[in-house]
Amino acid sequence: MSDDEIKNILVSLKNIKGIHGSAIIEKFGDISGSALPGWVDPEGVSAMVALILKASQRATKELDQGEFLNAIIENEKGKLLFSSIGDKIIVVVTTTDAKLGIVNLKLQAAREKLIK
């Protein structure tokens, strides 16, 4: 998949009400694509995602729960959604008023496009 196709998928997510932006992070912290708002540091996000992913993968393995698929971190100002795409992770940054059901549906659709 081309960089432009990846960017288009990420921008389409960003256009959903309640989503600040999204990015695709390599499991070792490199950024494959980003449509994050200007106030978000992509390198900082990638470093945090890599740490969260490592901890999540270890927890699922230690608890004999199979492979890591998704995670949601809820906070005072919104949510961070993480979803595994092969050897990459897509992260979505939302507002507090984001409709989680809609975001999850759109995230799943984006994952399917990115896997192809």
Side-chain angles (χ1 to χ4, degrees):
M1 177 170 282
S2 74
D3 289 343
D4 287 339
E5 290 171 312
I6 292 171
K7 182 72 170 180
N8 288 338
I9 291 169
L10 295 175
V11 168
S12 72
L13 283 172
K14 187 176 180 177
N15 290 332
I16 297 166
K17 183 180 180 191
I19 295 182
H20 284 305
S22 59
I24 297 178
I25 312 295
E26 303 283 336
K27 290 198 177 180
F28 297 107
D30 295 329
I31 300 172
S32 293
S34 172
L36 293 167
W39 50 267
V40 174
D41 174 25
E43 286 78 25
V45 169
S46 67
M48 288 181 277
V49 168
L51 287 172
I52 292 166
L53 175 63
K54 187 174 180 179
S56 298
Q57 287 174 326
R58 182 172 179 193
T60 56
K61 182 180 178 183
E62 292 288 327
L63 297 171
D64 197 24
Q65 295 292 302
E67 290 191 41
F68 170 81
L69 299 176
N70 301 296
I72 300 172
I73 298 175
E74 293 187 53
N75 55 65
E76 185 178 333
K77 295 185 179 181
K79 297 173 184 68
L80 301 172
L81 288 83
F82 303 88
S83 190
S84 181
I85 306 172
D87 62 344
K88 299 176 184 171
I89 290 289
I90 186 167
V91 60
V92 176
V93 181
T94 76
T95 63
T96 54
D97 62 343
K99 304 291 185 216
L100 198 52
I102 292 170
V103 173
N104 275 326
L105 284 173
K106 299 296 185 178
L107 182 56
Q108 181 61 32
R111 283 183 74 240
E112 289 172 9
K113 289 178 186 175
L114 291 164
I115 289 172
K116 292 180 181 180

